[in-house]
Structure formats: C-alpha cells, structure tokens
C-alpha cells in the first residue's frame, strides 16, 4: 500500500469513528432533549394522536375530542359552550398552540406528564392515558354573568371569599375556541386576531384599568388601619368645595359640593364623595396607600393558577402630593383588573382574610386519582377584622341607600361600591362603569366585580350602579339562591 492510499484510509477511518461518536452522543445524551424540543413535529402529532383529557365544570366535561380523519392529527379538541367558558379553557390548537388552562395543564391533558405513566407505559415508552382538570367554576354563576353581559363590552369575576374559589370569569366579547382547534383554521384565526385580538382578550385577568371609585374601598381600609378614621359616622371636617392639594384645581363630586361637605366616611362612600377620599389619601401618603394596596394584591402577579398579568398597579415611583390624592379615588396611575377588585371585596367580606384565588380544585389521572389539589390555598390576614366589619357596614349603606340598590338580592345581606373611571385624553373615551359587591345568606358568600367598557348607553347615563350593579346582582342571586 502506497503512502497516499494509507493516508486516505486513515482519514476515512477517523471520519467513521467521528460519526460513530456523534451518533452515540446524540442517542445516549441528546436523544431526550431532541425528543422534547418544542420544534419537534412528532411531539405535536403525538399530542393529537389520541383523545385529550378534559376540563371539568360542576362534574361535567366542557371539552372533548373528535376524530379528524387525518393521517398526522387524528383527533382535535372540541368545546361545549365554547364562548361561555373560553376565559377559563383558553384554546388547544394544532396550528396556534395553547392558552389558559389548556396551556397550563397541556401535559396532563395530552398524557405526556410523567405522573400519569404506569409501569407498563414506562416499559413500552407509550404515552399515558390523559388526566383531567377539575375547575372551581359554578355553571349557574358563569351563565348568569355571560347572559347579563350580552350587548355590553366588559368583564365579570366572582369569588367565594371563604375558599378563594373563582366561581365565574366572563368576558364579552368572547370567542369560540372550537373554531381554531384544527391545523387548517387560518381564516378563523385571522378573524379572531383582528382589532388587536380583542375577541380573545382576557379582560378579567390581563387588562388592568382605572378602577375609579371602587378603589375608595382600599383608601378607606388604609385610613382605618392607620388610625386616620376610627368612627365611620363621625364628620370628617373635609369641605365639599375641595381643591386638589398642590394645585388650584377643584375636585368635584357627582353628588355636589354641598352634599359632600363635612360628611362622615359612611356618607362619603354612599355618595362617592371625591373630596373625602382624595384628602384621606393625601394625609396617608404614598407609602401607606401602596402598602394597603399591595396587601390586597396590587403590584403582584396573581396565580390562579393561570397567572394574572400584568399585575394590577398602585404606583411605586415617587408621586407628587396631588397625584397621591388622585389615587385615593382610583385615578391617576392606579390600575386594576376585575379579579383584583373582586379580591378586595372578598377580603372585606371574609373578616379581613384574603384567601388566594384559584380556578382549579384538583388535577387527576384518568382513574380519578388526585395528582394536585388546591383545596387548602394560602391565606393572609390583610386587615383587622374590625376594619373589615366597618367597611362591610359602609358598603351595606351603598347597597340599601346609594347607587348600589340595583344589586340587592332578596333575603340576602349585600354590600357594594360603584365606580366610574375617566379614560382618554381630556376624557375622550367613554368612562368605565365599575361595581364590586359582596352577598351572603345562610352560610354562603360571594364577592363580585364587574367592569363595563362600552355599551349603547348614553354617555350621561354611564355609571357603575346603572350598568354594572344589575350584572353583579344576577351573579350573586345565582349563587345565593341555591
């Protein structure tokens, strides 16, 4: 063998050896990583080669699977009352991925979670039978909110204050997730994505907005906790003709300067007197206001276990004295979701204890064995029980004598707070109409928050009591009437 052939042979042997080393490395060390790679189409195909597990409401599946007749994707997701439950389920799409509970529990629902595997599944490397996700949603409360929101753009959330269970979460407009479950639903996706995706926007969880006068509950809680208010029926000494501190700008109240002159905190909450709560916030200062807001969940991404983000916001950056005063009435840069305001009212109704809100009670395997349970959620005493009692007392006055009258439920104790929040440059957009309330009867309790972004109501008639309170009433009646 001449020198040239020998060198070529050695080089070829080295190439073969390098190839063997590479193959061994890929199979032994990188195989699992490549198999799990999100760009591996086989994984996506595998997710839909069998029926998916289900999301459960009240013991009934609100999801299903149907055969496609296709070679790769043999099944696709189906939904029962898709628009009704879309804010909870989200979607499971062969082309566009997953969202909400479909996304958080994707591996449970498609059988790839390691906790689902039996010894035989492990031996055969077979995908396990899928598990199920049991929600805390109450069908009656969910349907009541959905029906009441028709014809309006907005959102509503209900919580059981004692357990933290989310009983309802509704957005309108909503969407039918069943339209985009297949691999060829591009036109439906384009339609739902139009107008910046508002049809699929989860206002309840992920669109913080100015809470308006509903935030006065937070201001009042801070004032009581910090000793600024000890008697909700004592005159405050705050003039009705009020100028925002540090400015020459008058701050009017809808009830009028005379009606809000030197009133008690109870009366100020009933009439929604801006002067009283702006002055309380000004006296408390930014740090004490923010501390109270953060105890109630502001500035924190709330796990539901579907995370609510961006977080509801009370400003952390240094504010001027006039800006602090404006936060006292839920304006300036305060932002909240309906979930957040329902949490505020939930803590008030529950004696000052805030139980972590959640929309899933259990996650099970195909045989019903519990893999995860959320029946003992975290709770925090965010205000004194006496403070909560004083707030409840004042909120009852709003519901019996003030703008919250439309929220009354026969035979139940109801307390509430209305809110109207200005929007846009020079108030160019329609105001937000808010209402938050609690109701209790015969050992059952519920906390609700509703926001209406747009309706066919004349601008002069937009208000939380007129637009949002009747929706809250139907939700509370659906729960308390059982």
């Amino acid at each position: 063998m001449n020198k040239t052939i020998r060198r070529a042979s050695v080089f070829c042997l080295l190439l073969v050896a390098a190839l063997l080393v590479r193959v061994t490395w890929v199979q032994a060390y990188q195989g699992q990583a490549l198999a799990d790679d999100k760009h591996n189409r086989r994984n996506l195909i595998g997710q839909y080669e069998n029926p998916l597990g289900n999301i459960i409401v009240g013991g009934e599946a609100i999801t299903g699977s149907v055969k496609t007749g296709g070679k790769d994707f043999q099944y696709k997701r189906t939904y029962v009352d898709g628009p009704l439950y879309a804010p909870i389920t989200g979607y499971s799409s062969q082309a566009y991925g997953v969202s909400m509970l479909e996304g958080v529990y994707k591996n449970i629902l498609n059988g790839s979670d390691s906790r689902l595997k039996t010894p035989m599944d492990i031996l055969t490397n077979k995908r396990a039978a899928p598990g199920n996700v049991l929600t805390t949603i109450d069908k009656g409360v969910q349907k009541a909110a959905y029906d009441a929101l028709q014809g309006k753009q907005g959102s509503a959330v209900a919580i059981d204050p004692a357990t933290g269970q989310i009983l309802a979460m509704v957005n309108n407009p909503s969407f039918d997730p069943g339209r985009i479950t297949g691999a060829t639903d591009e036109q439906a996706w384009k339609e739902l994505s139009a107008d910046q995706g508002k049809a699929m926007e989860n206002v309840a969880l992920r669109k913080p907005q100015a809470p308006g006068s509903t935030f006065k509950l937070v201001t009042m809680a801070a004032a009581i906790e910090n000793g600024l208010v000890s008697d909700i029926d004592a005159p405050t000494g705050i003039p009705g003709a009020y100028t925002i501190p540090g400015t020459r700008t008058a701050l009017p109240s809808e009830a009028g300067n005379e009606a809000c002159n030197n009133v008690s905190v109870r009366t100020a909450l009933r009439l929604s007197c801006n002067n009283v709560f702006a002055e309380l916030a000004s006296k408390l200062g930014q740090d004490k206001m923010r501390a109270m807001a953060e105890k109630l969940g502001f500035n924190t991404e709330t796990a539901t276990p579907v995370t609510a983000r961006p977080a509801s916001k009370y400003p952390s950056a240094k504010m001027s004295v006039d800006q602090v005063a404006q936060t006292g009435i839920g304006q300036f840069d305060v932002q909240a979701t309906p979930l957040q305001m329902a949490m505020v009212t939930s803590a008030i109704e529950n004696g000052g204890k805030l139980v972590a809100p959640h929309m899933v009670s259990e996650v099970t395997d195909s045989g019903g064995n519990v893999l995860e349970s959320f029946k003992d959620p975290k709770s925090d005493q965010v205000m004194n029980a006496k403070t909560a009692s004083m707030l409840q007392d004042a909120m009852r006055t709003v519901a019996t004598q003030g703008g919250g009258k439309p929220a009354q439920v026969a035979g139940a104790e109801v307390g509430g707070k209305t809110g109207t929040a200005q929007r846009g440059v020079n108030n160019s957009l329609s105001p937000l109409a808010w209402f938050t309330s609690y109701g209790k009867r015969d050992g059952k309790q519920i906390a609700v928050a509703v926001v209406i972004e747009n309706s066919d109501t004349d601008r002069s008639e937009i208000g939380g009591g007129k637009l949002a309170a009747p929706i809250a009433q139907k939700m509370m009646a659906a729960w308390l009437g059982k």
Side-chain angles (χ1 to χ4, degrees), residues 360-373:
V360 171
S361 59
E362 291 180 343
V363 177
T364 70
D365 64 15
S366 59
N369 299 305
V370 177
L371 303 178
E372 295 180 34
S373 175

Side-chain angles (χ1 to χ4, degrees), residues 49-198:
E49 67 182 358
N50 294 301
L52 297 169
N54 286 312
I55 298 171
I56 311 295
V57 170
E60 298 179 357
I62 58 171
T63 56
S65 298
V66 64
K67 283 189 173 183
T68 64
K71 181 180 178 180
D72 287 342
F73 301 107
Q74 298 181 37
Y75 289 85
K76 70 175 182 177
R77 179 59 105 190
T78 59
Y79 296 90
V80 178
D81 292 324
L84 173 63
Y85 294 111
I88 292 101
T89 62
Y91 56 80
S92 180
S93 170
Q94 295 168 357
Y96 303 106
V98 290
S99 69
M100 296 303 292
L101 292 184
E102 292 277 30
V104 173
Y105 294 105
K106 176 180 70 175
N107 294 340
I108 289 288
L109 296 169
N110 66 34
S112 64
D113 192 295
S114 60
R115 293 172 296 175
L116 298 169
K117 287 186 177 294
T118 65
M120 185 59 67
D121 293 331
I122 295 172
L123 286 172
T124 60
N125 197 28
K126 179 184 175 183
R127 187 179 290 262
N132 298 311
V133 178
L134 283 64
T135 74
T136 62
I137 300 299
D138 180 85
K139 184 176 181 179
V141 182
Q142 183 81 4
K143 186 69 162 56
Y146 182 80
D147 290 345
L149 274 170
Q150 296 310 300
K152 303 176 180 67
Q153 179 184 335
S155 180
V157 173
I159 300 175
D160 183 332
T163 64
Q165 293 183 346
I166 295 176
L167 304 174
M169 183 178 293
V170 175
N171 296 315
N172 193 54
S174 187
F175 71 103
D176 184 358
R179 295 182 61 200
I180 54 174
T181 58
T184 58
D185 294 329
E186 183 178 0
Q187 183 57 40
W189 179 261
K190 286 182 177 178
E191 291 173 4
L192 292 175
S193 300
D195 195 16
Q196 298 181 330
K198 285 185 178 178

